[in-house]
Amino acid sequence: MFTTGPIGVFDSGYGGLTILNKFRELLPQYDYIYLGDNARTPYGTRSFEVVYEFTLQAVRKLFEFGCPLVILACNTASAKALRSIQQNDLPHIDPHRRVLGVIRPTVECIGGLTQSRHIGLLATAGTVKSESYPLEIHKLYPDIKVTAVACPLWVPLVENNEYDSPGADYFVKKYLDQLLGQDPEIDTIILGCTHYPLLIDKIRQFTPSHIHLIAQGEYVAHSLKDYLMRHPEIKSRCTANGTCEFLTTESIEKFQESAATFLHEKVRVRSIVLE
Ligand code: DGL
């Protein structure tokens, strides 16, 4: 008998809640379990080995909770750990479960959005350094030029609830100017970090109006819907009672307080240890 259970959604912290929200909007029938490694966030500045090890621990934990499918709703984890987990770990742990990321679904949409074929990527240092976005983009669209800038201060702005403050303006403008200074022909910018949709109003304020801003939640949610349609063997194992549970490596109080920024609702949370 194959395991049945909720869809697991993993992020280094709170950012993945922007993806979970879109899953729940588009596919409200399923059960979800969200795991935030809040005690060890951010991942964006950590090494490949550490992000891989932490992400694998999280996937194993979500498997313990019965998830037949886990989405790495974190670009840094998708960039640095997804491939190794899919290729090296899953065959040993359980070849009948699946782990998916957020980069490929985001990349798939851009071919139809850019006219100039010049794309900008704003992401964590880890995601930029991994080159996962340009690699995936060039597999599908070899003609597109990609320019990437790391925004190391944006995640702390969001995590510290400063994303709406006047002080955030300086750092939002700084990285956008850097990106558009490097390639003024950019007409589409990927917000390649799950935290950035919370900064979108400010990002919009400092971005010329002809430029498309891509917040990935919607694209990832449509891609999940499509995936489940194409994989009935996985879909039939995802339980569908419309529930949502939250796990954190931080304290319950801290999670409830900070998650309110992303969720606008009080949630039931359990504190767990990853090892
Ligand atoms: N949520 C992560 C991402 O999408 C960024 C936060 C972090 O640095 O841990 O890349």
Side-chain angles (χ1 to χ4, degrees):
M1 262 302 269
F2 294 136
T3 336
T4 61
I7 296 173
V9 180
F10 168 66
D11 185 54
S12 60
Y14 301 106
L17 295 171
T18 62
I19 306 277
L20 176 72
N21 284 343
K22 296 293 174 190
F23 288 168
R24 290 174 75 193
E25 264 172 50
L26 189 71
L27 302 163
Q29 68 273 34
Y30 291 108
D31 298 321
Y32 296 95
I33 185 161
Y34 182 89
L35 167 52
D37 191 4
N38 304 91
R40 302 189 295 193
T41 198
Y43 281 14
T45 43
R46 293 187 187 272
S47 68
F48 178 93
E49 290 76 15
V50 169
V51 172
Y52 164 66
E53 189 190 320
F54 287 1
T55 305
L56 184 58
Q57 290 170 356
V59 167
R60 285 184 186 277
K61 181 61 76 180
L62 287 167
F63 282 178
E64 277 174 33
F65 278 82
C67 301
L69 172 66
V70 171
I71 314 292
L72 304 184
C74 173
N75 290 271
T76 312
S78 299
K80 293 185 158 185
L82 179 65
R83 185 160 305 196
S84 303
I85 291 176
Q86 284 175 331
Q87 291 179 355
N88 305 331
D89 300 298
L90 260 191
H92 306 293
I93 304 174
D94 185 343
H96 301 291
R97 304 205 214 196
R98 294 290 175 271
V99 180
L100 305 174
V102 289
I103 294 179
R104 179 75 185 207
T106 308
V107 163
E108 277 169 358
C109 74
I110 63 162
L113 292 176
T114 173
Q115 299 272 311
S116 69
R117 313 309 274 173
H118 288 243
I119 293 276
L121 169 70
L122 297 170
T124 65
T127 300
V128 170
K129 204 161 164 225
S130 74
E131 303 220 324
S132 298
Y133 268 96
L135 284 169
E136 286 297 330
I137 289 170
H138 289 140
K139 274 188 214 161
L140 296 179
Y141 315 107
D143 61 315
I144 288 181
K145 177 172 160 39
V146 187
T147 304
V149 165
C151 313
L153 288 162
W154 285 9
V155 169
L157 282 175
V158 173
E159 291 275 331
N160 291 295
N161 231 330
E162 289 288 333
Y163 60 91
D164 216 10
S165 72
D169 290 17
Y170 172 80
F171 292 106
V172 169
K173 186 170 178 322
K174 176 185 159 120
Y175 298 130
L176 280 165
D177 286 352
Q178 214 173 311
L179 182 73
L180 297 173
Q182 281 183 41
D183 183 356
E185 286 184 64
I186 287 170
D187 71 352
T188 305
I189 297 178
I190 298 173
L191 304 181
C193 172
T194 52
H195 283 67
Y196 297 175
L198 274 97
L199 285 162
I200 201 156
D201 290 342
K202 279 206 190 294
I203 297 172
R204 176 48 67 212
Q205 202 181 319
F206 296 109
T207 307
S209 57
H210 72 280
I211 296 184
H212 294 285
L213 291 176
I214 300 184
Q216 56 195 161
E218 243 160 75
Y219 298 101
V220 177
H222 277 100
S223 170
L224 174 61
K225 186 178 178 189
D226 184 56
Y227 178 87
L228 292 171
M229 246 151 56
R230 285 183 290 110
H231 294 88
E233 75 288 2
I234 300 290
K235 183 180 175 201
S236 62
R237 291 164 55 202
C238 297
T239 51
N241 304 299
T243 67
C244 193
E245 234 195 292
F246 296 84
L247 308 174
T248 177
T249 53
E250 249 291 350
S251 75
I252 292 172
E253 295 70 31
K254 176 88 180 66
F255 187 91
Q256 275 173 337
E257 187 193 310
S258 304
T261 311
F262 293 85
L263 290 172
H264 313 295
E265 64 178 311
K266 194 151 164 79
V267 292
R268 238 169 28 90
V269 190
R270 271 196 260 185
S271 186
I272 51 119
V273 175
L274 290 180
E275 53 199 0

